Amino acid sequence: MRHSTVPRPTPVRHGRLPVRRARGPVARLLAAIVAVAVVSAGAVAAYAVQDTVRSLKPSVHLVSAAGKAVTVPSVGAESGAVNILLAGTDTRTGQGGQFASAQELAGSSGAGNNDVTMVLHLSADHQHATVISIPRDLMVPIPSCPTSGGGSTSPQDKAQFNTTLSTGGLSCVVLTAEALTGLSIPYAAEVSFDGVSAMSNAVGGVTVCLATPLKDPYVGLNLPAGQQTLVGAQALAFVRSRHGVGDGSDLGRISNQQLFLSSLLRKVTSAGVLANPLTLFTLAKAATSNLTLSDTMSSPTTLVSIGLALKSVPLSDFVFLQYPAMTDPENVNRVVPEPAGVDALKQALASDTPVQLTGTTGNGTVSATPSPSATPAAPSAAATPAPSATSSAASGSAAGGSTAGGSTATGSTPAPTSSAVSLPSNVTGQTAAQQTCTKGN
């Protein structure tokens, strides 16, 4: 099944025009702000920092579950855990161009829906990070959320997660995510439509691997198999594509986004980018120009602290995963939290312990086998898909016909450490060091 056949809590139209949507590893990009000041010298550094900070948008005030303002925790370059939520809105308001028509604005306007939501948890020792993608179609309780007028929304026993932004703003997304993860999340950001385009352009394109051709007329995408370097509108279409990836569901799209983010991280942390002050400045400016930050992280000092805290995490310890979910028994086009996986994930987050993936990379990607000449940032064009998973990763249809399983990451998943929490095999994801390829349908 496809999502479009089932009414959504807040109607969102997925048109055939290329819809630009921002998804990016905000924390690594924040680290680029630090690098601008460190690498660029004298007056150039002063101008770069000043211009980058000046590009910050007005901040959003966060309110805790108790109705109090969220306080800024102490985060230094050497200690302190960091939890950040990143929400990508699908609103057309203020986007101009093709999104200014009455038809487009009727599809999604105002605050919009949080069509993409990620929670980043950086350990207190700054040695490992976990990025959790929360499916937009996850059916969960939504708490009472504060409103801008001083009131509050009514709690909901079961609603679609991607309605939280339009229900109660960024604070509502944070409060709901806190309940799902058990984390206290003091930092949050909304991302504009132009973010991924600007960021991909800033690094000179993001190279991705396609195991099969990728065609999605809904976003205007038609790519051949092999390695493709994506910039601008093409990068936007790639991370948005749902109909052309895996089983055509949002879960398949999540795994494809994780592939893109992993490749972007490898590019951002490569010597060529880190050694180029102009690229770093452009990247930092692209991030700050396309983010609306919570007031807890709008200070340049806070941004620098977070950037310094993140820079020491190895790519192999930067884990992207999908929030544990299974098919909603009341609606096969929706998903609900999967208890065993959620318990294991919450245990790891509460104890600040690394997670170990034991399942697959997801139904939108397959493992890539790099050629001897391949560089870490570019998977081999002749990617060899791994055999289908034989574990208990799949337990039926989930979110529009998708399954909890996918393609295995044999030979790519690092060996678990003695302290790592092994997640159930139905929890999909990959590390930033893993090289995977998109699987078209």
PDB file of all heavy atoms in Angstrom, residues 354-393:
ATOM      1  N   PRO A 354      27.000   3.113  23.919  1.00  0.00           N
ATOM      2  CA  PRO A 354      26.914   2.960  22.457  1.00  0.00           C
ATOM      3  C   PRO A 354      25.889   1.901  22.075  1.00  0.00           C
ATOM      4  O   PRO A 354      25.630   0.964  22.839  1.00  0.00           O
ATOM      5  CB  PRO A 354      28.329   2.517  22.060  1.00  0.00           C
ATOM      6  CG  PRO A 354      29.200   2.904  23.202  1.00  0.00           C
ATOM      7  CD  PRO A 354      28.356   2.811  24.430  1.00  0.00           C
ATOM      8  N   VAL A 355      25.303   2.044  20.900  1.00  0.00           N
ATOM      9  CA  VAL A 355      24.381   1.038  20.385  1.00  0.00           C
ATOM     10  C   VAL A 355      25.076   0.231  19.299  1.00  0.00           C
ATOM     11  O   VAL A 355      25.943   0.735  18.582  1.00  0.00           O
ATOM     12  CB  VAL A 355      23.090   1.666  19.826  1.00  0.00           C
ATOM     13  CG1 VAL A 355      22.296   2.334  20.930  1.00  0.00           C
ATOM     14  CG2 VAL A 355      23.388   2.642  18.700  1.00  0.00           C
ATOM     15  N   GLN A 356      24.691  -1.031  19.194  1.00  0.00           N
ATOM     16  CA  GLN A 356      25.224  -1.911  18.162  1.00  0.00           C
ATOM     17  C   GLN A 356      24.073  -2.385  17.288  1.00  0.00           C
ATOM     18  O   GLN A 356      23.133  -3.005  17.767  1.00  0.00           O
ATOM     19  CB  GLN A 356      25.926  -3.122  18.786  1.00  0.00           C
ATOM     20  CG  GLN A 356      26.366  -4.177  17.785  1.00  0.00           C
ATOM     21  CD  GLN A 356      27.413  -3.659  16.811  1.00  0.00           C
ATOM     22  OE1 GLN A 356      28.214  -2.792  17.165  1.00  0.00           O
ATOM     23  NE2 GLN A 356      27.418  -4.178  15.600  1.00  0.00           N
ATOM     24  N   LEU A 357      24.137  -2.078  15.996  1.00  0.00           N
ATOM     25  CA  LEU A 357      23.116  -2.530  15.061  1.00  0.00           C
ATOM     26  C   LEU A 357      23.352  -3.988  14.709  1.00  0.00           C
ATOM     27  O   LEU A 357      24.476  -4.383  14.390  1.00  0.00           O
ATOM     28  CB  LEU A 357      23.146  -1.671  13.791  1.00  0.00           C
ATOM     29  CG  LEU A 357      22.791  -0.190  13.973  1.00  0.00           C
ATOM     30  CD1 LEU A 357      23.109   0.587  12.699  1.00  0.00           C
ATOM     31  CD2 LEU A 357      21.320  -0.040  14.331  1.00  0.00           C
ATOM     32  N   THR A 358      22.315  -4.792  14.777  1.00  0.00           N
ATOM     33  CA  THR A 358      22.419  -6.207  14.419  1.00  0.00           C
ATOM     34  C   THR A 358      21.533  -6.544  13.224  1.00  0.00           C
ATOM     35  O   THR A 358      21.560  -7.666  12.735  1.00  0.00           O
ATOM     36  CB  THR A 358      22.008  -7.094  15.606  1.00  0.00           C
ATOM     37  OG1 THR A 358      20.616  -6.876  15.906  1.00  0.00           O
ATOM     38  CG2 THR A 358      22.839  -6.790  16.842  1.00  0.00           C
ATOM     39  N   GLY A 359      20.734  -5.580  12.780  1.00  0.00           N
ATOM     40  CA  GLY A 359      19.802  -5.823  11.689  1.00  0.00           C
ATOM     41  C   GLY A 359      20.327  -5.366  10.347  1.00  0.00           C
ATOM     42  O   GLY A 359      21.507  -5.512  10.030  1.00  0.00           O
ATOM     43  N   THR A 360      19.459  -4.770   9.564  1.00  0.00           N
ATOM     44  CA  THR A 360      19.777  -4.410   8.193  1.00  0.00           C
ATOM     45  C   THR A 360      19.913  -2.904   8.046  1.00  0.00           C
ATOM     46  O   THR A 360      19.674  -2.141   8.983  1.00  0.00           O
ATOM     47  CB  THR A 360      18.669  -4.913   7.244  1.00  0.00           C
ATOM     48  OG1 THR A 360      17.507  -4.074   7.422  1.00  0.00           O
ATOM     49  CG2 THR A 360      18.299  -6.349   7.553  1.00  0.00           C
ATOM     50  N   THR A 361      20.274  -2.476   6.848  1.00  0.00           N
ATOM     51  CA  THR A 361      20.395  -1.045   6.596  1.00  0.00           C
ATOM     52  C   THR A 361      19.063  -0.418   6.233  1.00  0.00           C
ATOM     53  O   THR A 361      18.975   0.806   6.111  1.00  0.00           O
ATOM     54  CB  THR A 361      21.400  -0.772   5.463  1.00  0.00           C
ATOM     55  OG1 THR A 361      20.934  -1.398   4.259  1.00  0.00           O
ATOM     56  CG2 THR A 361      22.773  -1.318   5.828  1.00  0.00           C
ATOM     57  N   GLY A 362      18.016  -1.219   6.051  1.00  0.00           N
ATOM     58  CA  GLY A 362      16.709  -0.705   5.677  1.00  0.00           C
ATOM     59  C   GLY A 362      16.326  -1.133   4.281  1.00  0.00           C
ATOM     60  O   GLY A 362      17.156  -1.556   3.486  1.00  0.00           O
ATOM     61  N   ASN A 363      15.025  -1.009   3.961  1.00  0.00           N
ATOM     62  CA  ASN A 363      14.581  -1.543   2.665  1.00  0.00           C
ATOM     63  C   ASN A 363      14.853  -0.607   1.491  1.00  0.00           C
ATOM     64  O   ASN A 363      14.559  -0.941   0.355  1.00  0.00           O
ATOM     65  CB  ASN A 363      13.093  -1.924   2.721  1.00  0.00           C
ATOM     66  CG  ASN A 363      12.184  -0.727   2.958  1.00  0.00           C
ATOM     67  OD1 ASN A 363      12.245   0.264   2.248  1.00  0.00           O
ATOM     68  ND2 ASN A 363      11.324  -0.825   3.968  1.00  0.00           N
ATOM     69  N   GLY A 364      15.439   0.570   1.751  1.00  0.00           N
ATOM     70  CA  GLY A 364      15.767   1.475   0.662  1.00  0.00           C
ATOM     71  C   GLY A 364      17.222   1.438   0.245  1.00  0.00           C
ATOM     72  O   GLY A 364      17.613   2.117  -0.713  1.00  0.00           O
ATOM     73  N   THR A 365      18.043   0.639   0.948  1.00  0.00           N
ATOM     74  CA  THR A 365      19.472   0.587   0.638  1.00  0.00           C
ATOM     75  C   THR A 365      20.000  -0.841   0.715  1.00  0.00           C
ATOM     76  O   THR A 365      19.378  -1.716   1.316  1.00  0.00           O
ATOM     77  CB  THR A 365      20.294   1.459   1.617  1.00  0.00           C
ATOM     78  OG1 THR A 365      20.023   1.023   2.955  1.00  0.00           O
ATOM     79  CG2 THR A 365      19.927   2.928   1.486  1.00  0.00           C
ATOM     80  N   VAL A 366      21.164  -1.043   0.116  1.00  0.00           N
ATOM     81  CA  VAL A 366      21.873  -2.314   0.203  1.00  0.00           C
ATOM     82  C   VAL A 366      23.329  -2.014   0.533  1.00  0.00           C
ATOM     83  O   VAL A 366      23.813  -0.903   0.325  1.00  0.00           O
ATOM     84  CB  VAL A 366      21.797  -3.126  -1.111  1.00  0.00           C
ATOM     85  CG1 VAL A 366      20.370  -3.564  -1.403  1.00  0.00           C
ATOM     86  CG2 VAL A 366      22.363  -2.322  -2.280  1.00  0.00           C
ATOM     87  N   SER A 367      24.021  -2.997   1.036  1.00  0.00           N
ATOM     88  CA  SER A 367      25.429  -2.823   1.366  1.00  0.00           C
ATOM     89  C   SER A 367      26.256  -2.694   0.100  1.00  0.00           C
ATOM     90  O   SER A 367      26.016  -3.369  -0.901  1.00  0.00           O
ATOM     91  CB  SER A 367      25.913  -4.015   2.188  1.00  0.00           C
ATOM     92  OG  SER A 367      27.278  -3.896   2.497  1.00  0.00           O
ATOM     93  N   ALA A 368      27.251  -1.816   0.145  1.00  0.00           N
ATOM     94  CA  ALA A 368      28.134  -1.617  -0.997  1.00  0.00           C
ATOM     95  C   ALA A 368      29.470  -2.286  -0.735  1.00  0.00           C
ATOM     96  O   ALA A 368      29.965  -2.281   0.391  1.00  0.00           O
ATOM     97  CB  ALA A 368      28.354  -0.133  -1.257  1.00  0.00           C
ATOM     98  N   THR A 369      30.067  -2.868  -1.770  1.00  0.00           N
ATOM     99  CA  THR A 369      31.399  -3.463  -1.666  1.00  0.00           C
ATOM    100  C   THR A 369      32.376  -2.565  -2.389  1.00  0.00           C
ATOM    101  O   THR A 369      32.397  -2.523  -3.620  1.00  0.00           O
ATOM    102  CB  THR A 369      31.433  -4.868  -2.290  1.00  0.00           C
ATOM    103  OG1 THR A 369      30.458  -5.692  -1.659  1.00  0.00           O
ATOM    104  CG2 THR A 369      32.818  -5.477  -2.122  1.00  0.00           C
ATOM    105  N   PRO A 370      33.150  -1.775  -1.653  1.00  0.00           N
ATOM    106  CA  PRO A 370      34.075  -0.841  -2.316  1.00  0.00           C
ATOM    107  C   PRO A 370      35.130  -1.571  -3.127  1.00  0.00           C
ATOM    108  O   PRO A 370      35.599  -2.641  -2.743  1.00  0.00           O
ATOM    109  CB  PRO A 370      34.712  -0.075  -1.154  1.00  0.00           C
ATOM    110  CG  PRO A 370      33.847  -0.363   0.039  1.00  0.00           C
ATOM    111  CD  PRO A 370      33.256  -1.718  -0.210  1.00  0.00           C
ATOM    112  N   SER A 371      35.506  -0.988  -4.260  1.00  0.00           N
ATOM    113  CA  SER A 371      36.617  -1.524  -5.038  1.00  0.00           C
ATOM    114  C   SER A 371      37.922  -1.134  -4.356  1.00  0.00           C
ATOM    115  O   SER A 371      37.961  -0.227  -3.534  1.00  0.00           O
ATOM    116  CB  SER A 371      36.570  -0.943  -6.456  1.00  0.00           C
ATOM    117  OG  SER A 371      36.780   0.459  -6.410  1.00  0.00           O
ATOM    118  N   PRO A 372      39.030  -1.804  -4.670  1.00  0.00           N
ATOM    119  CA  PRO A 372      40.309  -1.480  -4.024  1.00  0.00           C
ATOM    120  C   PRO A 372      40.708  -0.023  -4.174  1.00  0.00           C
ATOM    121  O   PRO A 372      41.398   0.527  -3.342  1.00  0.00           O
ATOM    122  CB  PRO A 372      41.297  -2.401  -4.751  1.00  0.00           C
ATOM    123  CG  PRO A 372      40.462  -3.551  -5.222  1.00  0.00           C
ATOM    124  CD  PRO A 372      39.140  -2.955  -5.581  1.00  0.00           C
ATOM    125  N   SER A 373      40.276   0.635  -5.261  1.00  0.00           N
ATOM    126  CA  SER A 373      40.675   2.016  -5.501  1.00  0.00           C
ATOM    127  C   SER A 373      39.690   3.022  -4.937  1.00  0.00           C
ATOM    128  O   SER A 373      39.902   4.223  -5.025  1.00  0.00           O
ATOM    129  CB  SER A 373      40.814   2.259  -7.013  1.00  0.00           C
ATOM    130  OG  SER A 373      39.578   2.003  -7.663  1.00  0.00           O
ATOM    131  N   ALA A 374      38.600   2.528  -4.361  1.00  0.00           N
ATOM    132  CA  ALA A 374      37.565   3.441  -3.878  1.00  0.00           C
ATOM    133  C   ALA A 374      38.059   4.224  -2.678  1.00  0.00           C
ATOM    134  O   ALA A 374      38.785   3.711  -1.838  1.00  0.00           O
ATOM    135  CB  ALA A 374      36.300   2.675  -3.506  1.00  0.00           C
ATOM    136  N   THR A 375      37.668   5.469  -2.606  1.00  0.00           N
ATOM    137  CA  THR A 375      38.003   6.311  -1.458  1.00  0.00           C
ATOM    138  C   THR A 375      36.893   6.189  -0.429  1.00  0.00           C
ATOM    139  O   THR A 375      35.781   5.798  -0.755  1.00  0.00           O
ATOM    140  CB  THR A 375      38.147   7.769  -1.892  1.00  0.00           C
ATOM    141  OG1 THR A 375      36.887   8.225  -2.381  1.00  0.00           O
ATOM    142  CG2 THR A 375      39.195   7.922  -2.965  1.00  0.00           C
ATOM    143  N   PRO A 376      37.170   6.528   0.843  1.00  0.00           N
ATOM    144  CA  PRO A 376      36.132   6.415   1.871  1.00  0.00           C
ATOM    145  C   PRO A 376      34.885   7.213   1.558  1.00  0.00           C
ATOM    146  O   PRO A 376      33.813   6.869   1.987  1.00  0.00           O
ATOM    147  CB  PRO A 376      36.834   6.967   3.126  1.00  0.00           C
ATOM    148  CG  PRO A 376      38.283   6.734   2.882  1.00  0.00           C
ATOM    149  CD  PRO A 376      38.469   6.916   1.413  1.00  0.00           C
ATOM    150  N   ALA A 377      35.016   8.292   0.780  1.00  0.00           N
ATOM    151  CA  ALA A 377      33.844   9.131   0.535  1.00  0.00           C
ATOM    152  C   ALA A 377      33.064   8.695  -0.694  1.00  0.00           C
ATOM    153  O   ALA A 377      32.026   9.232  -0.989  1.00  0.00           O
ATOM    154  CB  ALA A 377      34.269  10.585   0.365  1.00  0.00           C
ATOM    155  N   ALA A 378      33.566   7.715  -1.457  1.00  0.00           N
ATOM    156  CA  ALA A 378      32.903   7.344  -2.696  1.00  0.00           C
ATOM    157  C   ALA A 378      32.808   5.838  -2.840  1.00  0.00           C
ATOM    158  O   ALA A 378      33.791   5.176  -3.141  1.00  0.00           O
ATOM    159  CB  ALA A 378      33.676   7.923  -3.884  1.00  0.00           C
ATOM    160  N   PRO A 379      31.612   5.250  -2.634  1.00  0.00           N
ATOM    161  CA  PRO A 379      31.453   3.810  -2.809  1.00  0.00           C
ATOM    162  C   PRO A 379      31.678   3.410  -4.256  1.00  0.00           C
ATOM    163  O   PRO A 379      31.544   4.229  -5.171  1.00  0.00           O
ATOM    164  CB  PRO A 379      29.992   3.578  -2.396  1.00  0.00           C
ATOM    165  CG  PRO A 379      29.598   4.783  -1.615  1.00  0.00           C
ATOM    166  CD  PRO A 379      30.415   5.904  -2.158  1.00  0.00           C
ATOM    167  N   SER A 380      32.003   2.149  -4.455  1.00  0.00           N
ATOM    168  CA  SER A 380      32.225   1.636  -5.791  1.00  0.00           C
ATOM    169  C   SER A 380      30.957   1.732  -6.617  1.00  0.00           C
ATOM    170  O   SER A 380      29.860   1.475  -6.156  1.00  0.00           O
ATOM    171  CB  SER A 380      32.669   0.166  -5.712  1.00  0.00           C
ATOM    172  OG  SER A 380      32.637  -0.423  -6.984  1.00  0.00           O
ATOM    173  N   ALA A 381      31.091   2.111  -7.876  1.00  0.00           N
ATOM    174  CA  ALA A 381      29.937   2.194  -8.758  1.00  0.00           C
ATOM    175  C   ALA A 381      29.331   0.826  -8.975  1.00  0.00           C
ATOM    176  O   ALA A 381      28.134   0.669  -9.154  1.00  0.00           O
ATOM    177  CB  ALA A 381      30.348   2.824 -10.099  1.00  0.00           C
ATOM    178  N   ALA A 382      30.174  -0.199  -9.002  1.00  0.00           N
ATOM    179  CA  ALA A 382      29.678  -1.554  -9.210  1.00  0.00           C
ATOM    180  C   ALA A 382      29.343  -2.185  -7.874  1.00  0.00           C
ATOM    181  O   ALA A 382      29.936  -3.158  -7.455  1.00  0.00           O
ATOM    182  CB  ALA A 382      30.728  -2.381  -9.960  1.00  0.00           C
ATOM    183  N   ALA A 383      28.397  -1.577  -7.201  1.00  0.00           N
ATOM    184  CA  ALA A 383      28.046  -2.042  -5.862  1.00  0.00           C
ATOM    185  C   ALA A 383      27.427  -3.414  -5.921  1.00  0.00           C
ATOM    186  O   ALA A 383      26.638  -3.722  -6.799  1.00  0.00           O
ATOM    187  CB  ALA A 383      27.066  -1.066  -5.230  1.00  0.00           C
ATOM    188  N   THR A 384      27.806  -4.274  -5.003  1.00  0.00           N
ATOM    189  CA  THR A 384      27.266  -5.628  -4.950  1.00  0.00           C
ATOM    190  C   THR A 384      26.283  -5.741  -3.802  1.00  0.00           C
ATOM    191  O   THR A 384      26.681  -5.688  -2.644  1.00  0.00           O
ATOM    192  CB  THR A 384      28.398  -6.648  -4.743  1.00  0.00           C
ATOM    193  OG1 THR A 384      29.347  -6.489  -5.792  1.00  0.00           O
ATOM    194  CG2 THR A 384      27.845  -8.070  -4.740  1.00  0.00           C
ATOM    195  N   PRO A 385      24.979  -5.858  -4.093  1.00  0.00           N
ATOM    196  CA  PRO A 385      24.011  -5.969  -3.008  1.00  0.00           C
ATOM    197  C   PRO A 385      24.269  -7.221  -2.193  1.00  0.00           C
ATOM    198  O   PRO A 385      24.583  -8.280  -2.720  1.00  0.00           O
ATOM    199  CB  PRO A 385      22.664  -6.051  -3.749  1.00  0.00           C
ATOM    200  CG  PRO A 385      22.930  -5.483  -5.124  1.00  0.00           C
ATOM    201  CD  PRO A 385      24.355  -5.852  -5.411  1.00  0.00           C
ATOM    202  N   ALA A 386      24.135  -7.082  -0.890  1.00  0.00           N
ATOM    203  CA  ALA A 386      24.290  -8.231  -0.016  1.00  0.00           C
ATOM    204  C   ALA A 386      23.035  -9.082  -0.082  1.00  0.00           C
ATOM    205  O   ALA A 386      21.982  -8.629  -0.514  1.00  0.00           O
ATOM    206  CB  ALA A 386      24.531  -7.759   1.411  1.00  0.00           C
ATOM    207  N   PRO A 387      23.102 -10.364   0.357  1.00  0.00           N
ATOM    208  CA  PRO A 387      21.926 -11.207   0.344  1.00  0.00           C
ATOM    209  C   PRO A 387      20.841 -10.635   1.234  1.00  0.00           C
ATOM    210  O   PRO A 387      21.104  -9.871   2.157  1.00  0.00           O
ATOM    211  CB  PRO A 387      22.441 -12.541   0.907  1.00  0.00           C
ATOM    212  CG  PRO A 387      23.916 -12.443   0.904  1.00  0.00           C
ATOM    213  CD  PRO A 387      24.287 -11.014   0.884  1.00  0.00           C
ATOM    214  N   SER A 388      19.597 -11.044   0.954  1.00  0.00           N
ATOM    215  CA  SER A 388      18.482 -10.573   1.762  1.00  0.00           C
ATOM    216  C   SER A 388      18.636 -11.059   3.186  1.00  0.00           C
ATOM    217  O   SER A 388      19.186 -12.127   3.442  1.00  0.00           O
ATOM    218  CB  SER A 388      17.162 -11.086   1.188  1.00  0.00           C
ATOM    219  OG  SER A 388      16.978 -10.581  -0.115  1.00  0.00           O
ATOM    220  N   ALA A 389      18.126 -10.256   4.123  1.00  0.00           N
ATOM    221  CA  ALA A 389      18.245 -10.611   5.528  1.00  0.00           C
ATOM    222  C   ALA A 389      17.450 -11.868   5.836  1.00  0.00           C
ATOM    223  O   ALA A 389      16.359 -12.062   5.330  1.00  0.00           O
ATOM    224  CB  ALA A 389      17.749  -9.457   6.387  1.00  0.00           C
ATOM    225  N   THR A 390      18.018 -12.723   6.668  1.00  0.00           N
ATOM    226  CA  THR A 390      17.320 -13.944   7.062  1.00  0.00           C
ATOM    227  C   THR A 390      16.952 -13.927   8.529  1.00  0.00           C
ATOM    228  O   THR A 390      16.420 -14.882   9.048  1.00  0.00           O
ATOM    229  CB  THR A 390      18.210 -15.177   6.803  1.00  0.00           C
ATOM    230  OG1 THR A 390      19.452 -15.017   7.493  1.00  0.00           O
ATOM    231  CG2 THR A 390      18.476 -15.333   5.321  1.00  0.00           C
ATOM    232  N   SER A 391      17.283 -12.809   9.197  1.00  0.00           N
ATOM    233  CA  SER A 391      16.939 -12.691  10.611  1.00  0.00           C
ATOM    234  C   SER A 391      15.471 -12.339  10.754  1.00  0.00           C
ATOM    235  O   SER A 391      14.743 -12.241   9.788  1.00  0.00           O
ATOM    236  CB  SER A 391      17.798 -11.606  11.268  1.00  0.00           C
ATOM    237  OG  SER A 391      17.453 -10.349  10.732  1.00  0.00           O
ATOM    238  N   SER A 392      15.057 -12.111  11.990  1.00  0.00           N
ATOM    239  CA  SER A 392      13.666 -11.795  12.257  1.00  0.00           C
ATOM    240  C   SER A 392      13.410 -10.311  12.095  1.00  0.00           C
ATOM    241  O   SER A 392      12.589  -9.728  12.778  1.00  0.00           O
ATOM    242  CB  SER A 392      13.299 -12.212  13.690  1.00  0.00           C
ATOM    243  OG  SER A 392      14.148 -11.557  14.618  1.00  0.00           O
ATOM    244  N   ALA A 393      14.116  -9.687  11.147  1.00  0.00           N
ATOM    245  CA  ALA A 393      13.971  -8.245  10.966  1.00  0.00           C
ATOM    246  C   ALA A 393      12.599  -7.885  10.444  1.00  0.00           C
ATOM    247  O   ALA A 393      12.094  -6.816  10.712  1.00  0.00           O
ATOM    248  CB  ALA A 393      15.050  -7.732  10.011  1.00  0.00           C
TER     249      ALA A 393
END
